[in-house]
């Protein structure tokens, strides 16, 4: 049997609350190179023994991967964390709870900064993430190409 040598795409995860940590662990278990960042550095450092690379800043984390997933407290947290961060050429997936109007505004904000954007909602609790039989869902909207 030949070993599968196809490299999985790298992912950056911003926000390591209960849901962000569950998402991070699912990507690590699936073999994705993962860079993580959280305002509380200890949360990112806790994932390093599991294979994640802990970034010192949100900007450093965004630089590490073409795919950036954000799971923060609220829409204003997304604005604060990504203020001044170069998003050019990145695919930004926002899983932060927001209103439809905030999602539309955030999509335009991301486009103006050179990123493609998806907005999503997680219909699961953290223990359901990465467990197919748990029947959790992630709904998303945005660019069909992305």
């Amino acid at each position: 049997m030949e070993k599968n040598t196809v490299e999985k795409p790298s992912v950056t995860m911003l926000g390591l609350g209960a849901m962000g940590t569950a998402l991070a662990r699912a990507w690590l278990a699936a073999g994705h190179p993962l860079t993580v960042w959280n305002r509380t550095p200890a949360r990112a450092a806790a994932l390093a023994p599991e294979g994640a690379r802990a970034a010192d800043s949100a900007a450093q984390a965004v630089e590490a991967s073409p795919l950036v997933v954000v799971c923060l407290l609220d829409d204003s947290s997304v604005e604060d964390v990504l203020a001044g961060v170069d998003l050019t050429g990145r695919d930004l997936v926002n899983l932060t709870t927001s209103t439809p109007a905030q999602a539309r505004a955030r999509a335009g904000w991301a486009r103006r900064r050179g990123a493609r954007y998806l907005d999503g909602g997680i219909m699961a609790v953290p223990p359901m993430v990465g467990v197919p039989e748990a029947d959790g869902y992630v709904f998303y909207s945005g660019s069909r190409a992305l």
Side-chain angles (χ1 to χ4, degrees), residues 12 25-26 28 37 41 56 74 77 84 87 92 97 104-105 115-116 123 135 137 140 143:
T12 286
R25 286 193 167 118
L28 288 169
W37 176 86
D56 293 330
D74 56 21
S77 298
L87 297 176
L92 181 64
T97 301
R104 285 189 292 276
R116 297 190 305 173
M123 302 299 289
D135 291 330
Y137 293 93
Y140 58 91
S143 162

Side-chain angles (χ1 to χ4, degrees), residues 3-18:
K3 182 179 178 181
N4 182 351
T5 58
V6 176
E7 190 171 321
K8 304 254 179 140
S10 65
V11 179
T12 286
M13 181 76 227
L14 303 178
L16 296 169

Side-chain angles (χ1 to χ4, degrees), residues 90-126:
R90 300 293 185 257
D91 293 333
L92 181 64
V93 179
N94 186 7
L95 299 176
T96 302
T97 301
S98 65
T99 67
Q102 288 171 323
R104 285 189 292 276
R106 188 65 51 214
W109 174 91
R111 241 185 337 272
R112 289 188 300 277
R113 285 158 179 76
R116 297 190 305 173
Y117 182 86
L118 290 179
D119 195 80
I122 302 171
M123 302 299 289
V125 294

Side-chain angles (χ1 to χ4, degrees), residues 16-139:
L16 296 169
M19 186 57 76
T21 297
L23 291 166
R25 286 193 167 118
W27 282 313
L28 288 169
H32 289 270
L34 180 68
T35 300
V36 295
W37 176 86
N38 196 75
R39 288 182 195 205
T40 304
R43 289 187 180 187
L47 290 169
E50 297 177 45
R53 179 177 167 261
D56 293 330
S57 67
Q60 183 184 58
V62 168
E63 284 179 18
S65 307
L67 174 60
V68 178
V69 179
V70 181
C71 189
L72 296 167
L73 177 64
D74 56 21
D75 185 66
S76 65
S77 298
V78 175
E79 178 102 19
D80 292 345
V81 165
L82 294 175
V85 174
D86 184 7
L87 297 176
T88 306
R90 300 293 185 257
D91 293 333
L92 181 64
V93 179
N94 186 7
L95 299 176
T96 302
T97 301
S98 65
T99 67
Q102 288 171 323
R104 285 189 292 276
R106 188 65 51 214
W109 174 91
R111 241 185 337 272
R112 289 188 300 277
R113 285 158 179 76
R116 297 190 305 173
Y117 182 86
L118 290 179
D119 195 80
I122 302 171
M123 302 299 289
V125 294
M128 296 170 70
V129 173
V131 181
E133 58 275 6
D135 291 330
Y137 293 93
V138 176
F139 297 101

